[in-house]
Amino acid sequence: MQKGDYLFILLESDESVKKLKGDKKPINSQDDRAQILSALKFVDFIVLLNGIKISKEYDDLVEEIHPDIIAVTKNDNAIFHKKRQAKNINAKVISVMERLEDKSTTRLAKLISLDF
């Protein structure tokens, strides 16, 4: 087994997305998001983050999975926590892409005239 052999996606609950982005989010449910992501051939595991509310619970999960690499979006709001988690398990944090502001679900909803 080599680094990068498996891709885990940790998928936030609908409740967590609502807290972070407001009552009208998410537009797509966690189950729908998981189904779409599972269709990507390079995704090996999707972990549904239901009931995780505090940093310690995230830390415990990351320690259990024990990835070699924690991939983040450039300017990730939670980069401090991810770097701390990586340090705890001797992993690397790698920025894999920039946030696609013009491709956001919020922008798409506005384009089709939903009230967001």
Side-chain angles (χ1 to χ4, degrees):
M1 184 167 56
Q2 296 182 19
K3 292 181 180 183
D5 282 348
Y6 297 100
L7 176 60
F8 284 77
I9 294 180
L10 306 183
L11 194 57
E12 291 291 345
S13 69
D14 294 345
E15 180 182 320
S16 293
V17 174
K18 274 187 196 312
K19 281 184 180 178
L20 185 65
K21 297 187 175 188
D23 286 338
K24 294 182 180 182
K25 300 285 177 72
I27 292 173
N28 296 301
S29 71
Q30 184 188 46
D31 289 340
D32 288 346
R33 290 178 278 133
Q35 186 173 4
I36 291 165
L37 289 167
S38 69
L40 301 172
K41 68 180 180 179
F42 51 83
V43 173
D44 298 297
F45 300 97
I46 297 172
V47 179
L48 303 179
L49 299 178
N50 294 325
I52 291 185
K53 298 187 185 313
I54 60 173
S55 293
K56 171 85 169 96
E57 293 171 322
Y58 283 101
D59 293 349
D60 291 346
L61 179 58
V62 170
E63 285 183 31
E64 188 174 331
I65 295 171
H66 205 281
D68 295 312
I69 297 168
I70 298 176
V72 299
T73 305
K74 193 172 187 178
N75 299 320
D76 186 317
N77 293 334
I79 192 69
F80 171 79
H81 297 293
K82 293 173 183 173
K83 285 183 176 181
R84 179 181 45 74
Q85 291 167 338
K87 183 178 179 183
N88 289 341
I89 60 171
N90 199 29
K92 291 181 184 177
V93 175
I94 297 175
S95 180
V96 294
M97 65 180 290
E98 300 216 13
R99 188 170 305 278
L100 303 174
E101 298 297 338
D102 64 330
K103 304 290 187 224
S104 73
T105 305
T106 300
R107 183 174 184 278
L108 178 61
K110 286 178 181 178
L111 286 173
I112 58 175
S113 299
L114 295 177
D115 184 27
F116 283 87

